[in-house]
Amino acid sequence: MAMVCVSDFEAYAKKYLPKIAWDYFAAGADDCTTRDENILAYKRIRFRPRMLRDVSMMDIRTKILGSEISFPVGIAPTGFHQLAWPDGEKSTARAARAMSTCYIASTYSTCTLEEISAAAPGGLRWFQLYIHRNRAVSQQLVQRAEALGFQGLVLTADLPYTGKRRDDVRNGFRLPPHMKLKNLEGAFEVCKMSLLDPSVTWNDIYWLRSLTRLPIIIKGILTREDAELAVKHGVQGIIVSNHGGRQLDEGPATIDALVEVVEAVQGRVEVYVDGGIRKGSDVLKALALGAKCVFIGRPALWGLAYKGEEGLRDVLRILQDEFRLSMALAGCASVSEIGPHLVQLSKL
Amino acid sequence: MAMVCVSDFEAYAKKYLPKIAWDYFAAGADDCTTRDENILAYKRIRFRPRMLRDVSMMDIRTKILGSEISFPVGIAPTGFHQLAWPDGEKSTARAARAMSTCYIASTYSTCTLEEISAAAPGGLRWFQLYIHRNRAVSQQLVQRAEALGFQGLVLTADLPYTGKRRDDVRNGFRLPPHMKLKNLEGAFEVCKMSLLDPSVTWNDIYWLRSLTRLPIIIKGILTREDAELAVKHGVQGIIVSNHGGRQLDEGPATIDALVEVVEAVQGRVEVYVDGGIRKGSDVLKALALGAKCVFIGRPALWGLAYKGEEGLRDVLRILQDEFRLSMALAGCASVSEIGPHLVQLSKL
Amino acid sequence: MAMVCVSDFEAYAKKYLPKIAWDYFAAGADDCTTRDENILAYKRIRFRPRMLRDVSMMDIRTKILGSEISFPVGIAPTGFHQLAWPDGEKSTARAARAMSTCYIASTYSTCTLEEISAAAPGGLRWFQLYIHRNRAVSQQLVQRAEALGFQGLVLTADLPYTGKRRDDVRNGFRLPPHMKLKNLEGAFEVCKMSLLDPSVTWNDIYWLRSLTRLPIIIKGILTREDAELAVKHGVQGIIVSNHGGRQLDEGPATIDALVEVVEAVQGRVEVYVDGGIRKGSDVLKALALGAKCVFIGRPALWGLAYKGEEGLRDVLRILQDEFRLSMALAGCASVSEIGPHLVQLSKL
Amino acid sequence: MAMVCVSDFEAYAKKYLPKIAWDYFAAGADDCTTRDENILAYKRIRFRPRMLRDVSMMDIRTKILGSEISFPVGIAPTGFHQLAWPDGEKSTARAARAMSTCYIASTYSTCTLEEISAAAPGGLRWFQLYIHRNRAVSQQLVQRAEALGFQGLVLTADLPYTGKRRDDVRNGFRLPPHMKLKNLEGAFEVCKMSLLDPSVTWNDIYWLRSLTRLPIIIKGILTREDAELAVKHGVQGIIVSNHGGRQLDEGPATIDALVEVVEAVQGRVEVYVDGGIRKGSDVLKALALGAKCVFIGRPALWGLAYKGEEGLRDVLRILQDEFRLSMALAGCASVSEIGPHLVQLSKL
């Protein structure tokens, strides 16, 4: 079977992954409405393509927090990559480096930060953090990440408790015994979400700031009010995200929330978005609506499930080619030419 | 099969109830448009969840007409519980008390008010009333309920005649011979709806008021005009309801009508809503739009059909857990923090 | 099988009529979009039902052009009733009289006007007319109808040519040899639509007026502009109609066009509507939006196909019962209480 | 099987064409959203038909750039007609001439321009052009077309690169060895789209103008901004087109873009539209919204696939008959009576 578009990798993963792993990655909260809306919302946005512009020399590079990436698609933080491929996050790190883009490693990785770093020295990586009840655990993780050369700290804000994902409950999902949340070993027993601290507030940003010189990116913002608070509390970036529809169901699609957040932020910090990206043209829409870069979650896992590092590179290359082609067909030769004039938000 | 969400109980009931009973409970008027719209309308409402608020201590209790309930979900009045479980309304009363919430017993119960009271002494209960052509029957029911410690009187306003439920007509639905409308025994032959009085008007509220010191809650209001009349005639509460879509088909979904009624009432009386509640997040939406509490009809029957009192407790506990989680994920630690800022009404 | 609602008669007719007859009655133009929209448009209208109004004495009678009918549902003109039942239009006339409503007999009847009159003496009937190239034919028909006691003349305005109904083309539809367009026998060869005059204009209303003292009702109006012209040319009534979706596909649903026409007419003439009526509540919606009466086309044919006169009476009685019940549940005790306050046009 | 409407030809072609050819003609970019939207958008437009206008004498002729055509439907440029019928573009040219309409021959024809001209001398034809990196190739083509009597030059503006059509990638689509891009033979190796020049800009219109006295029509415009630029750069006509949904997916449906372009152009040049035309009433809608003429792409190929010249004539005749009938039923006797009053854009 030819792997022509990202959906081909999804079909492959659904067919070949163990059901419990597929279900875990595919899961959305409750009725999965928001998970699916993330995709549908892109389809409601129409391009306004412009013709007869010189698109012979295409430049699709961009910068996020000062670092150049080869195109505006990074790897969102997702847990348990060994469920998709034996090498787990090491393959992810290698693929991201090979494609010159950014990989946000999750706290819930099945490889240590040290293994990830060693697998792909020099790659651009950010570290995703939950704040634990035991703040020393979080502090130690931040400092390990900084020491290992991670260049950004992504604080997940939308998981005071884990969303209700029905299939995981039915399956009694838990990590297979031979996989570990290696970054947390010794700190406490794995997979007990209740060790996350649901009392975290905006003031904890200041505490986090006191621990590290890394830029702080907050992930999980969906409203203008929270975007305003994020800027006020000094973050360097915002990832508009609904956790792939795995937390509160029936919140907004991320591409819809992006519009609101970008308007509130007014360029004071960089804004990114994840959720629902399946085609290069989705990336173009997100950038037209003000995102500096998008991050992919499930598509990266499908790539891993297909062929590890190579499969993820395939996924990234397809998105890269599609993004470049969409830009050209819309009349943009470089990322700087992308703007809101390119899209029309449907009345639907 | 694991019972993970309310729909699991629906599937169970559909599979195991006698068809004629399932059909009776499931029935909607005419094309069942309103029955189904009650559910679909919730899906058109989007949350605007807020992040990084301290949700470590969750308080989901509320009060209705001064009585505390453990969370804002009560049991709506529905008839013929013995069709779902041999013990009928006795199980319902016990489950409601066990979960510290309010149970509205129907005139068309298959247990007497006395049996219901005796089954769960001390539970918070309201009594649902139709006004009969023979007013003495209604008067006697009101006075029995008051004497038995029922704490509210719910007048159903939307059934001057019974709606046309096609499946019931096809099935020739009637109660099995061993079940009785026990509260009406002796008063008149059972199941003759024509004994209800279609000439009832707002002035009958005054008559009802003259019979009892119980608060009067009117059920079945769908417009601002009627909400205004209800307040003017001195009721203590309004249940926005379309009788589960069983009366006039193609009226508004209750969650849509709630917005209109809340706006008209302006806090002068408490407003509740029933119809279409299937998830804890539906409860959160209803409260965000101004309901003080919601009531569940069919989900309670499905719980009974599953395991009587225990099954209904399961349903209530699932809704309770989901409601608490939704609140936390939306950034609310107590019911008092819930407000219209949490939702966005879709343009659809 | 119990015949509970109009759709039951449709299912029966689809099952038992010869395919060529079913297809002819069911046919819509082109993609049948308008035929289906006629029904869907009703579903987009929501009631605003009012409670606690005395609905113990229901009066569902109304008057059209001064004649009382037992409820506001008449029989629209449709051709070839012998395709549905051997007795053809004689059964239709009897059923309409039995139910005390109005029957609009079609030019393309398979019984003569004389047979129709004789079958049900004293029934309220209007005659539907096409204007033929040979005006003498039309003149003779008008004068026969008037002499026979028909009380209104319905001029069909939307058929200068016959719409393209694909199934009829595929089936090579034509009347079976033993059926005749009896009203046109001798005048010209049957079923040649090209004998209709596509040059008819508004001025021909004046010619028609010169032939008869009967009130003239124009059928097929869909815009405010044409409604204005109809009033200006002195008609007594307008039937908002798209010929059951059989002429120009993708015009407006009749219930949508009704709103526009009623607004233009401002009560100067009576306005009726046909197309898409399947339930008593559809009748209530049409009246709420300003129709004085509705007419049913296909449902009447399904009734005939079921059991001739008796079947059509069944259909009418179901609609009558449903209409009465809908009125009561919406809080109206008489037709005069029905008004636009009862409905809300959906934003969809 | 009777060929009653255009969809019948589509069904035939799908059944009898080799899969690879069907897929190539059917292909849309990415998810085929725009391909399908082209059709769906027509369905959202409602007619406002007018009655009792004299439509006995129908005149459906129109003129494009001064040349009369028998009705406002021409043949859009599509490639590789030999995939549909052995004679290829020669049959197309003959059918267009037989029906007295305009045929836009594609650069990617499988017959030479000379063969096309010889097949149907005297037919009205335009030539569709891509601008090649090797400008001499384009210049030679333009001059050959002009010398052969082609009467217009259609510059395709929306293909700086070829869109991503997944099925073609999966099928490894390429022309069978016995077919050739005959107009380009000798110039360079066939089927290498990369020989098209993605650096083309509006200034190249001036270069094109310098080569020929033929009117220049620009094809692929979708926005008011580009329409304004087209007028400013001196074209004689604009074809609103999205290349049948084969280039940038999720741009506007062409009938929606037409409204915007017509408004911008204000009658300064003629505007045409292609994409999604499947019925005569679609043609009427396009004209009502300001198109001077429409062009059909896939329907022409389906006609060829059915019976070559004869099949294409059948398709054109069906559209002609349907267009005439739609006009009459909408109350227009000639093309000059068609205007925006005939349609209502749905709020959907």
Side-chain angles (χ1 to χ4, degrees):
Chain A
M1 179 193 181
M3 304 309 270
V4 172
C5 59
V6 169
S7 305
D8 293 338
F9 292 82
E10 180 178 17
Y12 182 96
K14 186 165 189 177
K15 189 165 173 191
Y16 290 105
L17 278 182
K19 177 179 170 2
I20 197 170
W22 166 262
D23 280 354
Y24 174 75
F25 291 143
D30 293 341
D31 289 332
C32 301
T33 302
T34 295
R35 178 194 67 180
D36 296 340
E37 265 290 295
N38 277 349
I39 293 171
L40 294 172
Y42 276 102
K43 295 197 172 296
R44 289 192 290 259
I45 301 168
R46 290 276 163 272
F47 286 114
R48 296 176 44 77
R50 303 295 305 276
M51 302 300 146
L52 297 189
R53 296 157 77 105
D54 180 348
V55 289
S56 55
M57 307 290 287
M58 298 296 300
D59 182 357
I60 63 173
R61 293 168 303 166
T62 193
K63 283 186 177 172
I64 52 174
L65 296 183
S67 300
E68 184 174 302
I69 52 180
S70 69
F71 77 121
V73 176
I75 312 291
T78 52
F80 311 157
H81 289 196
Q82 286 188 1
L83 283 177
W85 189 255
D87 247 5
E89 289 80 4
K90 285 186 274 188
S91 287
T92 316
R94 287 188 199 108
R97 190 185 57 176
M99 293 296 294
S100 300
T101 190
C102 177
Y103 163 35
I104 309 179
S106 164
T107 290
Y108 290 120
S109 294
T110 41
C111 300
T112 62
L113 296 183
E114 290 73 12
E115 289 170 324
I116 291 170
S117 287
L124 174 63
R125 278 183 292 277
W126 295 350
F127 174 63
Q128 175 272 334
L129 184 78
Y130 293 109
I131 296 184
H132 296 86
R133 290 181 195 271
N134 180 346
R135 298 288 163 109
V137 172
S138 299
Q139 176 170 357
Q140 185 214 41
L141 280 169
V142 168
Q143 289 166 348
R144 271 167 72 196
E146 184 165 5
L148 286 162
F150 282 76
Q151 298 184 31
L153 203 59
V154 175
L155 176 68
T156 296
D158 59 4
L159 204 136
Y161 303 97
T162 304
K164 180 172 180 176
R165 304 157 198 173
R166 294 176 188 168
D167 282 347
D168 287 350
V169 180
R170 290 186 213 285
N171 293 336
F173 174 78
R174 48 181 305 139
L175 269 191
H178 62 282
M179 296 185 202
K180 302 265 179 278
L181 294 184
K182 284 198 172 172
N183 288 304
L184 301 172
E185 275 190 304
F188 44 71
E189 192 191 340
V190 298
C191 230
K192 283 246 187 160
M193 286 303 179
S194 61
L195 296 181
L196 298 188
D197 187 350
S199 77
V200 173
T201 67
W202 289 100
N203 284 330
D204 291 288
I205 304 275
Y206 298 133
W207 168 74
L208 209 57
R209 167 59 55 239
S210 74
L211 301 181
T212 177
R213 283 174 306 198
L214 291 181
I216 295 172
I217 301 102
I218 188 159
K219 173 169 173 285
I221 300 306
L222 292 167
T223 60
R224 70 174 64 82
E225 297 90 330
D226 279 349
E228 190 59 54
L229 285 169
V231 173
K232 191 173 141 195
H233 285 82
V235 305
Q236 275 68 49
I238 292 172
I239 304 182
V240 174
S241 173
N242 51 33
H243 218 108
R246 297 161 79 86
Q247 288 295 102
L248 182 66
D249 198 25
E250 301 181 3
T254 50
I255 191 66
D256 291 336
L258 176 70
V259 175
E260 173 173 336
V261 168
V262 163
E263 195 176 280
V265 162
Q266 294 282 344
R268 289 174 289 171
V269 304
E270 294 190 353
V271 180
Y272 321 107
V273 68
D274 69 18
I277 301 280
R278 296 294 178 269
K279 299 186 295 183
S281 59
D282 296 334
V283 184
L284 181 57
K285 287 177 181 176
L287 266 66
L289 292 169
K292 189 78 173 131
C293 171
V294 308
F295 291 92
I296 56 169
R298 293 184 185 93
L301 295 162
W302 302 332
L304 285 178
Y306 177 57
K307 282 192 186 170
E309 177 195 344
E310 185 185 337
L312 176 49
R313 278 195 275 117
D314 288 348
V315 164
L316 288 167
R317 198 170 299 113
I318 283 173
L319 286 173
Q320 196 177 63
D321 290 345
E322 288 180 348
F323 174 63
R324 185 189 297 108
L325 179 58
S326 296
M327 273 180 63
L329 296 182
C332 299
S334 78
V335 165
S336 63
E337 295 174 27
I338 300 171
H341 60 280
L342 279 189
V343 293
Q344 180 171 293
L345 298 176
S346 160
K347 289 120 204 169
L348 269 183
Chain B
M1 178 195 183
M3 304 308 270
V4 173
C5 58
V6 169
S7 305
D8 293 338
F9 293 80
E10 180 178 17
Y12 182 95
K14 186 165 190 180
K15 189 164 173 189
Y16 291 104
L17 279 183
K19 178 178 170 4
I20 197 169
W22 166 262
D23 282 353
Y24 173 76
F25 291 143
D30 293 340
D31 289 331
C32 301
T33 302
T34 296
R35 178 194 67 181
D36 297 339
E37 264 290 295
N38 276 350
I39 293 172
L40 293 172
Y42 276 102
K43 295 199 172 295
R44 289 193 289 260
I45 301 168
R46 291 276 163 271
F47 286 114
R48 295 176 45 78
R50 302 294 306 276
M51 303 300 146
L52 298 188
R53 296 157 78 105
D54 180 348
V55 289
S56 55
M57 306 291 287
M58 298 296 300
D59 182 357
I60 63 174
R61 292 169 303 167
T62 193
K63 282 185 177 173
I64 51 175
L65 296 182
S67 301
E68 184 174 304
I69 50 179
S70 68
F71 77 121
V73 177
I75 312 291
T78 52
F80 312 156
H81 290 196
Q82 285 187 0
L83 283 177
W85 189 255
D87 248 4
E89 289 79 4
K90 286 187 273 187
S91 287
T92 316
R94 288 187 198 108
R97 188 185 58 177
M99 293 296 294
S100 300
T101 191
C102 178
Y103 163 36
I104 309 179
S106 166
T107 290
Y108 290 120
S109 294
T110 42
C111 300
T112 63
L113 296 183
E114 290 74 11
E115 290 169 323
I116 291 170
S117 287
L124 175 63
R125 278 183 293 276
W126 294 350
F127 174 64
Q128 176 271 334
L129 184 77
Y130 294 108
I131 297 184
H132 296 85
R133 290 182 196 269
N134 180 346
R135 298 288 162 111
V137 172
S138 299
Q139 176 170 355
Q140 184 214 45
L141 280 169
V142 169
Q143 290 166 347
R144 272 167 72 196
E146 184 164 4
L148 286 163
F150 282 76
Q151 298 184 33
L153 203 59
V154 175
L155 176 67
T156 296
D158 59 4
L159 203 135
Y161 303 97
T162 304
K164 180 171 180 178
R165 304 156 197 173
R166 295 176 188 168
D167 282 348
D168 287 350
V169 180
R170 290 186 213 285
N171 293 337
F173 173 78
R174 47 181 306 136
L175 270 191
H178 61 284
M179 296 185 202
K180 301 265 178 275
L181 294 184
K182 285 198 171 172
N183 289 304
L184 301 172
E185 277 189 303
F188 43 72
E189 192 191 339
V190 299
C191 231
K192 282 243 186 160
M193 285 302 179
S194 60
L195 297 180
L196 298 189
D197 187 351
S199 77
V200 172
T201 67
W202 288 101
N203 284 330
D204 291 289
I205 304 274
Y206 298 133
W207 168 74
L208 209 57
R209 169 58 55 238
S210 75
L211 301 181
T212 178
R213 283 174 306 200
L214 291 181
I216 296 173
I217 301 101
I218 189 160
K219 173 169 173 283
I221 300 304
L222 292 167
T223 60
R224 70 174 65 82
E225 296 90 331
D226 279 348
E228 190 59 53
L229 285 169
V231 172
K232 191 174 140 196
H233 286 83
V235 306
Q236 276 67 50
I238 292 173
I239 304 181
V240 174
S241 172
N242 50 33
H243 219 109
R246 297 160 80 85
Q247 288 295 102
L248 181 65
D249 198 25
E250 302 183 1
T254 50
I255 191 67
D256 291 336
L258 176 71
V259 175
E260 174 173 335
V261 168
V262 163
E263 196 176 278
V265 162
Q266 294 282 345
R268 289 174 289 170
V269 304
E270 294 190 354
V271 180
Y272 321 106
V273 67
D274 69 18
I277 301 280
R278 296 294 179 268
K279 299 185 296 182
S281 59
D282 296 335
V283 184
L284 181 57
K285 288 177 181 176
L287 266 67
L289 292 169
K292 189 79 173 131
C293 171
V294 309
F295 292 93
I296 55 169
R298 293 184 185 93
L301 295 162
W302 302 332
L304 286 178
Y306 177 56
K307 282 191 188 172
E309 177 195 343
E310 185 185 335
L312 177 48
R313 278 195 276 116
D314 288 347
V315 164
L316 288 166
R317 198 171 299 113
I318 283 173
L319 286 173
Q320 196 177 63
D321 289 346
E322 288 180 349
F323 173 63
R324 186 190 298 108
L325 180 57
S326 297
M327 272 181 62
L329 297 183
C332 299
S334 78
V335 165
S336 63
E337 296 175 26
I338 300 171
H341 60 280
L342 279 189
V343 293
Q344 180 170 294
L345 298 177
S346 160
K347 288 121 206 169
L348 268 183
Chain C
M1 178 194 183
M3 304 309 270
V4 173
C5 58
V6 169
S7 305
D8 292 338
F9 292 81
E10 179 178 16
Y12 182 95
K14 185 166 189 178
K15 190 165 172 190
Y16 291 104
L17 277 183
K19 178 180 171 358
I20 198 169
W22 166 262
D23 281 354
Y24 173 75
F25 291 142
D30 293 341
D31 289 332
C32 301
T33 302
T34 295
R35 179 194 66 181
D36 297 340
E37 265 291 294
N38 276 349
I39 293 171
L40 293 172
Y42 276 102
K43 296 197 171 295
R44 289 191 291 258
I45 300 168
R46 290 276 162 272
F47 285 114
R48 295 175 45 76
R50 303 295 305 276
M51 302 300 146
L52 298 189
R53 295 156 78 104
D54 179 348
V55 289
S56 55
M57 307 290 286
M58 298 296 300
D59 182 356
I60 63 174
R61 292 169 304 166
T62 193
K63 282 185 179 172
I64 51 174
L65 296 182
S67 300
E68 184 175 302
I69 51 180
S70 69
F71 76 122
V73 176
I75 312 291
T78 51
F80 311 157
H81 289 196
Q82 286 188 0
L83 284 177
W85 189 255
D87 248 3
E89 288 79 5
K90 286 186 273 188
S91 287
T92 315
R94 287 189 198 105
R97 188 186 57 176
M99 294 297 294
S100 300
T101 191
C102 177
Y103 163 35
I104 309 179
S106 165
T107 289
Y108 291 120
S109 294
T110 42
C111 301
T112 62
L113 296 183
E114 289 73 13
E115 290 169 323
I116 291 170
S117 286
L124 175 63
R125 279 185 291 276
W126 295 350
F127 174 64
Q128 175 271 333
L129 183 79
Y130 293 109
I131 296 184
H132 296 85
R133 290 182 196 269
N134 181 345
R135 297 287 162 111
V137 172
S138 298
Q139 177 170 354
Q140 185 215 43
L141 281 168
V142 168
Q143 290 166 349
R144 273 166 70 196
E146 185 165 4
L148 286 163
F150 283 77
Q151 298 185 32
L153 203 60
V154 175
L155 176 69
T156 296
D158 60 3
L159 204 134
Y161 303 97
T162 304
K164 180 172 180 178
R165 304 156 197 174
R166 294 176 188 168
D167 283 348
D168 287 350
V169 180
R170 291 185 213 285
N171 293 338
F173 173 77
R174 47 182 307 137
L175 270 190
H178 60 284
M179 296 185 202
K180 302 265 178 273
L181 294 184
K182 286 199 171 172
N183 288 304
L184 301 172
E185 275 189 303
F188 44 71
E189 193 191 339
V190 298
C191 230
K192 282 244 184 160
M193 286 303 180
S194 60
L195 296 181
L196 298 188
D197 186 352
S199 77
V200 172
T201 67
W202 289 100
N203 285 330
D204 292 289
I205 305 274
Y206 297 134
W207 168 74
L208 210 56
R209 168 59 54 240
S210 74
L211 302 181
T212 177
R213 282 173 309 200
L214 292 179
I216 296 173
I217 302 102
I218 188 160
K219 174 170 173 282
I221 300 304
L222 292 167
T223 60
R224 70 174 66 82
E225 297 90 331
D226 280 347
E228 189 60 54
L229 286 169
V231 173
K232 191 173 140 196
H233 286 81
V235 304
Q236 275 68 50
I238 291 172
I239 304 182
V240 174
S241 172
N242 51 33
H243 218 110
R246 297 160 79 86
Q247 288 295 102
L248 182 65
D249 198 26
E250 302 183 1
T254 49
I255 191 67
D256 291 336
L258 176 71
V259 175
E260 173 173 337
V261 168
V262 163
E263 196 176 278
V265 161
Q266 294 281 346
R268 290 173 288 170
V269 303
E270 295 191 352
V271 181
Y272 321 105
V273 66
D274 68 19
I277 301 280
R278 297 294 178 269
K279 298 186 297 184
S281 58
D282 296 334
V283 184
L284 181 57
K285 288 178 180 175
L287 265 67
L289 293 169
K292 190 80 174 127
C293 171
V294 309
F295 292 93
I296 55 169
R298 293 184 186 93
L301 295 162
W302 303 332
L304 286 178
Y306 177 57
K307 281 191 189 172
E309 177 195 343
E310 185 184 337
L312 176 48
R313 278 196 275 116
D314 288 348
V315 164
L316 287 167
R317 197 171 300 112
I318 283 174
L319 287 173
Q320 196 177 63
D321 289 344
E322 288 180 348
F323 174 63
R324 186 190 298 109
L325 180 57
S326 297
M327 272 180 63
L329 297 182
C332 298
S334 78
V335 166
S336 63
E337 296 174 27
I338 300 170
H341 61 279
L342 279 189
V343 293
Q344 180 170 291
L345 298 176
S346 160
K347 288 121 204 166
L348 267 183
Chain D
M1 178 195 182
M3 304 308 271
V4 173
C5 58
V6 168
S7 305
D8 293 338
F9 292 81
E10 179 178 17
Y12 182 96
K14 185 165 190 178
K15 190 164 173 190
Y16 291 105
L17 277 182
K19 178 179 171 0
I20 199 169
W22 166 262
D23 281 354
Y24 173 75
F25 292 143
D30 293 342
D31 289 332
C32 302
T33 302
T34 296
R35 179 195 66 181
D36 297 340
E37 266 290 295
N38 276 350
I39 293 172
L40 294 171
Y42 275 102
K43 295 197 172 298
R44 290 192 289 259
I45 300 168
R46 290 276 163 272
F47 285 114
R48 295 175 46 76
R50 303 295 305 276
M51 302 300 146
L52 297 189
R53 296 157 78 104
D54 180 347
V55 289
S56 55
M57 306 290 287
M58 298 296 299
D59 181 357
I60 62 173
R61 292 169 303 166
T62 192
K63 283 186 178 173
I64 51 174
L65 296 182
S67 301
E68 184 174 303
I69 51 180
S70 69
F71 76 121
V73 176
I75 312 291
T78 52
F80 311 157
H81 289 195
Q82 286 188 359
L83 284 177
W85 190 256
D87 248 4
E89 289 79 4
K90 286 186 273 187
S91 287
T92 316
R94 287 188 200 107
R97 189 186 56 177
M99 293 296 294
S100 300
T101 191
C102 178
Y103 164 34
I104 310 179
S106 165
T107 289
Y108 291 120
S109 294
T110 42
C111 301
T112 63
L113 297 184
E114 289 75 10
E115 289 170 323
I116 292 170
S117 287
L124 175 63
R125 279 184 291 276
W126 294 351
F127 174 64
Q128 175 272 334
L129 184 80
Y130 294 109
I131 297 184
H132 296 85
R133 290 183 196 269
N134 181 345
R135 299 286 162 111
V137 172
S138 299
Q139 177 170 354
Q140 186 214 40
L141 281 169
V142 169
Q143 289 166 347
R144 272 167 71 196
E146 184 165 4
L148 286 164
F150 283 77
Q151 297 184 31
L153 202 59
V154 175
L155 176 68
T156 296
D158 60 3
L159 204 136
Y161 303 97
T162 304
K164 181 172 180 176
R165 304 157 198 174
R166 294 176 188 168
D167 282 347
D168 286 350
V169 180
R170 290 186 214 285
N171 293 336
F173 173 77
R174 48 181 307 136
L175 270 191
H178 62 284
M179 295 184 203
K180 301 266 178 276
L181 295 184
K182 285 198 172 172
N183 289 304
L184 301 172
E185 274 190 304
F188 44 71
E189 192 190 340
V190 298
C191 230
K192 281 244 185 160
M193 286 301 179
S194 61
L195 296 181
L196 297 189
D197 187 351
S199 77
V200 172
T201 67
W202 289 100
N203 283 330
D204 291 288
I205 305 274
Y206 298 133
W207 168 74
L208 209 56
R209 169 58 55 241
S210 75
L211 302 181
T212 178
R213 282 173 307 197
L214 291 180
I216 295 173
I217 301 102
I218 187 159
K219 174 169 173 283
I221 300 304
L222 292 167
T223 60
R224 70 174 65 82
E225 296 90 331
D226 280 349
E228 189 59 56
L229 285 169
V231 173
K232 191 173 141 196
H233 285 82
V235 304
Q236 274 69 49
I238 292 173
I239 303 180
V240 174
S241 171
N242 51 32
H243 217 110
R246 297 160 79 86
Q247 288 295 101
L248 182 65
D249 199 25
E250 301 182 2
T254 49
I255 191 67
D256 292 336
L258 176 71
V259 175
E260 173 172 337
V261 167
V262 163
E263 196 176 279
V265 161
Q266 294 281 344
R268 290 174 288 170
V269 304
E270 294 191 352
V271 180
Y272 321 105
V273 66
D274 69 19
I277 301 281
R278 296 293 179 270
K279 299 186 295 183
S281 58
D282 297 334
V283 183
L284 181 57
K285 288 177 180 175
L287 265 66
L289 292 169
K292 189 80 173 130
C293 171
V294 309
F295 292 93
I296 55 169
R298 293 183 185 94
L301 295 162
W302 302 332
L304 286 178
Y306 178 56
K307 281 193 188 171
E309 178 196 343
E310 185 185 335
L312 177 47
R313 278 195 276 116
D314 288 348
V315 164
L316 288 167
R317 197 169 300 113
I318 283 173
L319 287 173
Q320 196 177 63
D321 290 344
E322 288 180 348
F323 173 63
R324 185 189 299 108
L325 179 58
S326 296
M327 272 179 63
L329 297 182
C332 299
S334 78
V335 166
S336 63
E337 296 175 27
I338 301 171
H341 61 279
L342 279 189
V343 293
Q344 181 169 291
L345 298 176
S346 160
K347 289 121 203 167
L348 268 182

